[in-house]
Amino acid sequence: QVQLVESGGGLVQAGGSLRLSCAASGSIFSCNAMGWYRQAPGKQRELVARITSLGSTNYADSLKGRFTISRDNMNTVYLHMNSLKPEDTGVYYCKCNIYDLEYWGQGTQVTVSS
């Protein structure tokens, strides 16, 4: 069973920055891909950014230029968030894909005040 531990969320003023971290453990296999998703109150969960084991990335179009996903190995990924806006508020979830299986973290709250 894969465990994902997220950290780095918190309260920040608009225009500020945060860095989220996600560490995966518990499997002899590395994640083929890892990603960040977010869910705002009353809205569906949406993709923020994703990175594969080959380093390919994709982002939600609305977030390009402000958010950057990176990794230092395939089981630890980061989300660098700059120029944060109140609409970025939500719970941010990390996901790991190992072949056809997917694993989710418990989420970390990000609150951006205006």
Side-chain angles (χ1 to χ4, degrees), residues 101-114:
L101 300 176
E102 59 181 43
Y103 303 90
W104 290 89
Q106 292 189 326
T108 184
Q109 177 71 43
V110 171
T111 303
V112 184
S113 63
S114 56

Side-chain angles (χ1 to χ4, degrees), residues 82-103:
N82 297 315
S83 302
L84 283 161
K85 304 175 181 180
E87 51 264 43
D88 294 319
T89 293
V91 180
Y92 284 68
Y93 297 91
C94 177
K95 188 175 83 167
C96 161
N97 287 92
I98 300 178
Y99 302 107
D100 294 337
L101 300 176
E102 59 181 43
Y103 303 90

Side-chain angles (χ1 to χ4, degrees), residues 8-79:
L11 174 64
V12 64
Q13 289 189 332
S17 300
L18 283 175
R19 188 186 78 159
L20 305 182
S21 302
C22 174
S25 63
S27 173
I28 61 173
F29 299 104
S30 295
C31 301
N32 303 118
M34 294 188 77
W36 287 97
Y37 294 73
R38 69 183 183 186
Q39 188 165 18
K43 295 188 177 181
Q44 289 188 330
R45 193 173 298 188
E46 62 177 358
L47 171 71
V48 174
R50 184 175 178 270
I51 186 166
T52 71
S53 57
L54 298 179
S56 296
T57 59
N58 62 289
Y59 296 87
D61 287 342
S62 62
L63 301 176
K64 288 179 181 177
R66 293 196 300 121
F67 289 17
T68 303
I69 191 169
S70 65
R71 60 182 173 91
D72 57 11
N73 58 60
M74 204 49 229
N75 284 0
T76 304
V77 291
Y78 306 94
L79 184 68

